[in-house]
């Protein structure tokens, strides 16, 4: 993929990495926004006070906008100088190249351009109405693509406004491209630190979550907020916390804290992200493929993460069946403070698969039971596997397990947060699951 940009007042800085600096007009940015996108930027932009201020500056201070903005930072594998201040930029790898920093500037400029083109065709009032829903990069990009022919036709309506631009690209020597691949993500992360780039976004960019993505039910992959502000309803840190359950079966230093204090999967998702990052950075777990992007190579870690195809489904199943088991144990789940019941037209849905459920309640009640499913996992030379069908086990044994776990809930005055933060609840859940499985084996052999 390549584009040609007219870069005014271009200046070069050469070193082990090369940099091209200058300004581009908004009309020149059309091809950049259409081709390079924000694929290399780990933080997807959305409409906010920042973008509103940028759009206002574009409208009210067009002559000095390039003095008011830091502009955009672009990485390209090749930069070729043409005539008349034009440069050909080639983008070979969307994981590393494209717009590294300046997502808000890119979104604001794109919205400004699109609004101008729509106003020519439909009038100012209708153009404003059409722009109003385009509050995320994803929604904007869809509308941009649909109207790209119109944008190109109405270039004359776009004011002559200049945007500062920096282009990073490899040097021409034999080691230049390897060095570029190695350093571009570090530059990416450093530039985005000022924008509160989350640990999850950095880890996603480094490929730490690719194995989870590969194992996850495809129906859920697009529902996850892998990048900050990309609109997914499922937070990636929730999946990371669930992944630590099968990973805790691997007795290595990086998973020891989860075995010692499993409450972390409920009470500190941020700490879960840190533990997972340390695991991915441990010797032998993953190896670099390009730049700093890694892939998991440790077979046991791969096998544990493969169980992520099951964990969200089992989370929902435990959540759904716990109240029924509680009631069979003699309690009245609907009477607990904070518990909501699906009644009078209320529709309650499970967290991951959005299936109908009868009760909504604090996750602390059931996180120990989800962790307890680790008692149904075995760590062998071949990796981490289930020793029995977990879905069938939960459906059959939840009432039995709840006969004892009921006392744990009652013992903390029915407070889900206290259950979720109680190490004893996790130990009890593991023991109850293990005992129920042992009883199943005994029954299968006719011993009980």
């Amino acid at each position: 993929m390549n584009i040609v940009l007219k870069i005014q007042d271009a200046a070069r800085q050469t070193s082990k990495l090369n940099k091209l600096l200058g300004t581009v007009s908004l009309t020149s940015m059309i091809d950049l926004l259409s081709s390079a996108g924000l694929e290399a930027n780990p933080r997807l932009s959305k409409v906010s006070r920042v973008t509103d201020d940028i759009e206002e500056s574009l409208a009210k201070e067009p002559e000095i906008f390039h003095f008011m903005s830091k502009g955009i930072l672009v990485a390209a594998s090749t930069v070729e100088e043409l005539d008349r201040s034009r440069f050909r930029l080639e983008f070979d790898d969307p994981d590393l190249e494209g717009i590294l920093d300046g997502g808000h500037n890119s979104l604001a400029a794109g919205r400004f351009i699109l609004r101008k083109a729509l106003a020519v065709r439909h009038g100012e009032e209708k153009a404003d109405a059409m722009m109003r829903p385009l509050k995320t990069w994803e929604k904007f990009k869809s509308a941009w693509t649909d109207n790209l022919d119109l944008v190109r036709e109405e270039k004359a309506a776009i004011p002559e406004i200049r945007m500062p631009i920096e282009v990073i690209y490899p040097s021409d020597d034999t080691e230049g491209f390897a060095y570029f691949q190695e350093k571009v993500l570090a530059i990416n992360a450093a530039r985005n630190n000022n924008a509160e780039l989350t640990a999850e976004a950095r880890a996603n960019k480094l490929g730490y979550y690719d194995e989870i993505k590969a194992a996850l039910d495809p129906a859920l992959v697009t529902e996850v907020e892998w990048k900050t502000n990309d609109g997914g309803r499922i937070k990636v840190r929730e999946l990371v916390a669930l992944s630590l359950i099968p990973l805790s079966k691997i007795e290595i230093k990086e998973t020891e804290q989860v075995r010692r204090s499993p409450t972390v999967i409920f009470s500190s998702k941020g700490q879960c992200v840190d533990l997972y990052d340390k695991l991915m950075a441990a010797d032998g777990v993953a190896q670099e493929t390009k730049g700093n992007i890694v892939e998991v190579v440790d077979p046991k870690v791969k096998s544990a993460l493969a169980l992520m195809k099951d964990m969200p489904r089992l989370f929902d199943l435990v959540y759904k069946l716990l109240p029924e088991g509680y009631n069979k144990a003699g309690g009245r789940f609907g009477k607990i403070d904070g518990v909501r019941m699906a009644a009078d037209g209320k529709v309650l849905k499970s967290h991951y698969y959005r299936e109908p459920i009868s009760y909504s309640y604090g996750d602390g009640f059931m996180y120990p039971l989800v962790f307890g499913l680790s008692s149904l996992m075995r760590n062998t030379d071949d990796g981490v596997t289930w020793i029995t069908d977990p879905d069938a086990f939960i459906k059959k044994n939840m009432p039995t397990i709840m006969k004892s776990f009921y006392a744990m809930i009652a013992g903390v005055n029915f407070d889900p947060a206290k259950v979720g933060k109680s190490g004893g609840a996790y130990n009890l859940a593991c023991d109850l699951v293990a005992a129920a499985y042992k009883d199943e084996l005994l029954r299968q052999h006719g011993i009980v």
Side-chain angles (χ1 to χ4, degrees):
M1 178 189 305
N2 67 80
I3 61 172
V4 175
L5 285 180
K6 184 173 183 178
I7 301 181
Q8 303 173 62
D9 303 321
R12 292 179 185 265
Q13 294 178 356
T14 58
S15 181
K16 293 183 73 174
L17 280 178
N18 292 333
K19 189 195 297 188
L20 179 66
L21 302 97
T23 60
V24 293
S25 67
L26 292 192
T27 52
S28 290
M29 284 189 66
I30 292 173
D31 287 339
L32 179 62
L33 295 175
S34 301
S35 301
L38 288 182
E39 286 81 358
N41 191 333
R43 188 180 58 86
L44 293 182
S45 52
K46 65 178 180 179
V47 170
S48 63
R49 182 175 178 179
V50 174
T51 53
D52 289 343
D53 288 346
I54 295 170
E55 288 188 61
E56 183 177 358
S57 297
L58 287 166
K60 294 184 177 180
E61 302 286 359
E63 298 88 356
I64 61 170
F65 178 81
H66 56 294
F67 292 111
M68 301 171 67
S69 171
K70 292 188 298 183
I72 57 176
L73 173 69
V74 176
S77 57
T78 304
V79 172
E80 178 187 1
E81 186 170 3
L82 306 175
D83 57 358
R84 303 191 308 278
S85 301
R86 297 179 306 140
F87 295 82
R88 178 180 289 111
L89 277 56
E90 293 189 8
F91 303 94
D92 292 338
D93 189 342
D95 288 332
L96 298 174
E97 301 165 34
I99 300 174
L100 300 188
D101 187 30
H104 286 116
N105 278 316
S106 300
L107 178 59
R111 282 172 51 87
F112 183 84
I113 293 167
L114 182 56
R115 179 183 281 105
K116 290 292 184 182
L118 291 172
V120 173
R121 178 67 58 87
H122 303 288
E124 294 282 353
E125 187 174 336
K126 187 171 182 181
D128 286 342
M130 295 172 73
M131 293 299 301
R132 203 167 293 126
L134 310 183
K135 295 185 179 298
T136 65
W137 175 263
E138 197 171 55
K139 291 180 179 179
F140 160 75
K141 191 64 182 291
S142 177
W144 175 271
T145 301
D146 291 343
N147 292 280
L148 187 54
D149 289 342
L150 173 62
V151 169
R152 296 190 192 281
E153 290 171 10
E154 303 299 343
K155 277 187 177 182
I158 303 169
E160 184 61 28
I161 302 175
R162 294 156 67 185
M163 174 76 72
I165 187 170
E166 298 176 66
V167 184
I168 296 172
Y169 59 102
S171 61
D172 294 331
D173 58 67
T174 55
E175 297 179 356
F177 189 70
Y179 188 78
F180 170 78
Q181 285 191 317
E182 177 187 351
K183 298 301 182 183
V184 71
L185 283 179
I187 296 169
N188 191 336
R191 287 297 186 96
N192 280 277
N193 275 341
N194 291 334
E196 299 180 353
L197 179 66
T198 66
E200 297 99 297
R202 283 192 292 270
N204 177 65
K205 193 62 193 172
L206 291 171
Y208 286 4
Y209 302 147
D210 287 356
E211 202 72 29
I212 294 178
K213 286 183 190 178
L216 204 62
D217 183 343
L220 295 182
V221 170
T222 57
E223 299 289 308
V224 181
E225 188 180 60
W226 301 104
K227 301 177 182 179
T228 309
N229 294 334
D230 71 357
R233 63 176 180 83
I234 300 170
K235 304 303 180 185
V236 68
R237 58 177 49 196
E238 297 170 357
L239 295 177
V240 170
L242 287 184
S243 77
L244 291 177
I245 297 174
L247 285 170
S248 70
K249 299 296 290 186
I250 307 172
E251 295 189 3
I252 54 178
K253 181 180 68 175
E254 288 74 21
T255 60
E256 181 181 349
Q257 183 170 347
V258 183
R259 291 189 295 276
R260 187 175 67 248
S261 181
T263 59
V264 67
I265 68 169
F266 165 73
S267 61
S268 183
K269 302 294 193 298
Q271 191 174 357
C272 289
V273 170
D274 291 340
L275 292 173
Y276 185 88
D277 286 359
K278 289 176 181 177
L279 174 65
M280 290 296 108
D283 290 344
V285 171
Q287 67 181 17
E288 292 185 355
T289 57
K290 53 186 175 183
N292 293 332
I293 298 175
V294 303
E295 66 177 2
V296 176
V297 294
D298 184 288
K300 287 200 172 185
V301 173
K302 287 178 74 72
S303 69
L305 292 177
L307 299 191
M308 284 302 293
K309 67 180 183 295
D310 303 315
M311 295 307 299
R313 183 185 70 253
L314 297 174
F315 181 103
D316 279 3
L317 184 59
V318 170
Y319 193 99
K320 179 179 181 179
L321 296 182
L322 182 149
E324 179 183 344
Y326 182 95
N327 289 337
K328 287 183 177 180
R332 300 179 67 184
F333 196 74
K335 294 296 183 180
I336 297 175
D337 287 344
V339 171
R340 294 173 56 212
M341 298 180 64
D344 300 327
K346 293 179 182 177
V347 178
L348 303 177
K349 294 183 178 181
S350 63
H351 182 67
Y352 289 104
Y353 284 92
R354 311 304 290 162
E355 295 178 346
I357 54 177
S358 300
Y359 297 89
S360 173
Y361 57 93
D363 289 349
F365 283 155
M366 46 78 64
Y367 256 99
L369 295 172
V370 175
F371 183 82
L373 298 178
S374 60
S375 292
L376 301 180
M377 300 173 187
R378 178 184 292 127
N379 180 20
T380 69
D381 292 340
D382 296 326
V384 181
T385 60
W386 294 109
I387 59 177
T388 189
D389 180 341
D391 296 79
F393 177 90
I394 294 169
K395 292 173 184 176
K396 183 176 182 179
N397 291 286
M398 182 61 77
T400 301
I401 291 170
M402 287 306 298
K403 285 181 181 178
S404 298
F405 200 76
Y406 167 92
M408 173 60 67
I409 294 175
V412 294
N413 198 28
F414 310 97
D415 185 337
K418 289 182 179 179
V419 175
K421 294 177 181 179
S422 168
Y426 293 79
N427 294 334
L428 175 61
C430 288
D431 290 343
L432 292 173
V433 171
Y437 177 66
K438 181 179 179 180
D439 288 344
E440 274 196 4
L441 292 179
L442 292 174
R443 284 193 295 270
Q444 289 173 13
H445 290 85
I447 298 175
V448 294

